[in-house]
């Protein structure tokens, strides 16, 4: 016990001298992290105000999501894809789900615009890609109700416009008219 007491009395002055240095180093680290968080928040606010800010794939996940959402408002799906892929490597499933949802929405908006103009051929692949993004959003966050709803809308577009699902050729095969509903669980026999 006396050796412990004597070791403490010998090391105490050295610890007291090192303590201000350790506190200063901790304060510098905390200040640097705070400055970085404030810079990220400024960039996110600028992106939400629709000011263009370049964002790299190494940026913080929240900043990448803000850039993805800004690009989604502009329907710049090609620029969104590498940023969404960068979010996949992060441990942020909620942010990844929102990014996938935004990418799906941008593709679905473009497809709906093409459908309104009567251009069904280029709209089909966009709807299929939108459906894939909604499914991926649901894989990241299964309780994402908006993604479920939009997946249903995109799936109904394919069903309601069979021309969108056409694989080969310019003509559709004549199919017998479906009388019974496609709702799961409903009988297909006679009433």
């Amino acid at each position: 016990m006396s050796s412990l007491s004597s070791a403490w009395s010998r090391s105490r002055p050295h610890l007291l001298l090192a303590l201000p240095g350790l506190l200063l180093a901790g304060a510098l680290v905390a200040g640097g992290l705070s400055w970085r968080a404030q810079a990220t928040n400024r960039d996110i606010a600028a992106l939400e105000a629709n000011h263009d800010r370049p964002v790299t794939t190494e940026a913080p996940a929240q900043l990448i999501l803000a850039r993805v959402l800004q690009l989604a408002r502009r329907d710049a799906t090609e620029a969104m894809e590498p940023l969404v892929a960068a979010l996949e490597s992060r441990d942020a499933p909620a942010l990844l789900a929102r990014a996938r949802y935004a990418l799906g929405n941008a593709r679905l908006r473009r497809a709906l615009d093409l459908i309104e103009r009567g251009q069904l051929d280029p709209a089909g692949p966009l709807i299929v890609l939108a459906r894939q993004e909604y499914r991926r959003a649901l894989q990241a966050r299964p309780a994402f109700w908006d993604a479920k709803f939009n997946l249903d809308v995109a799936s109904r577009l394919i069903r309601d416009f069979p021309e969108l699902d056409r694989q080969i050729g310019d003509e559709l095969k004549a199919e017998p008219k479906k009388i019974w509903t496609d709702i799961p669980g409903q009988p297909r026999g006679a009433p």
Side-chain angles (χ1 to χ4, degrees), residues 1-183:
M1 184 74 162
S2 68
S3 65
L4 183 64
S5 172
S6 100
W8 171 249
S9 61
R10 281 185 307 211
S11 63
R12 191 167 87 180
H14 298 293
L15 289 175
L16 289 175
L17 287 175
L19 187 61
L22 291 174
L23 291 175
L24 179 64
L28 288 174
V29 168
L33 292 174
S34 175
W35 176 81
R36 182 177 173 197
Q38 287 177 352
T40 300
N41 288 339
R42 279 193 303 272
D43 287 341
I44 289 172
L47 288 169
E48 288 175 351
N50 212 17
H51 297 290
D52 200 19
R53 294 274 195 277
V55 175
T56 65
T57 56
E58 291 84 25
Q62 295 85 358
L63 183 59
I64 291 175
L65 177 64
R67 178 66 172 165
V68 165
L69 295 175
Q70 181 202 31
L71 292 171
R73 289 189 297 269
R74 296 179 181 178
D75 289 333
T77 56
E78 292 80 21
M80 294 169 64
E81 289 173 358
L83 295 173
V84 172
L87 279 176
E88 284 182 0
S89 64
R90 313 285 174 93
D91 188 28
L95 299 179
L96 176 62
R98 286 184 60 199
R100 292 265 180 217
Y101 175 73
L103 182 56
N105 283 346
R107 288 186 169 145
L108 188 60
R109 273 193 307 272
R110 189 182 300 170
L112 290 173
D113 183 47
L114 290 170
I115 289 171
E116 286 176 1
R117 289 189 271 150
Q119 299 174 351
L120 298 180
D121 286 337
L126 289 173
I127 293 174
V128 171
L129 289 173
R131 286 172 47 189
Q132 289 175 355
E133 293 303 330
Y134 295 137
R135 283 190 185 108
R136 290 178 182 160
L138 288 170
Q139 287 173 348
R141 194 171 131 208
F144 196 1
W145 190 87
D146 291 340
K148 289 178 186 179
F149 181 82
N150 286 8
L151 175 63
D152 184 52
V153 168
S155 297
R156 288 175 191 249
L157 278 173
I158 293 292
R159 189 180 70 205
D160 291 344
F161 291 100
E163 298 89 16
L164 295 176
D165 203 23
R166 179 176 28 192
Q167 300 295 326
I168 300 173
D170 292 332
E171 295 183 23
L172 292 173
K173 295 184 232 173
E175 294 182 19
K177 194 169 194 170
K178 292 183 180 178
I179 298 173
W180 301 105
T181 180
D182 287 340
I183 299 174

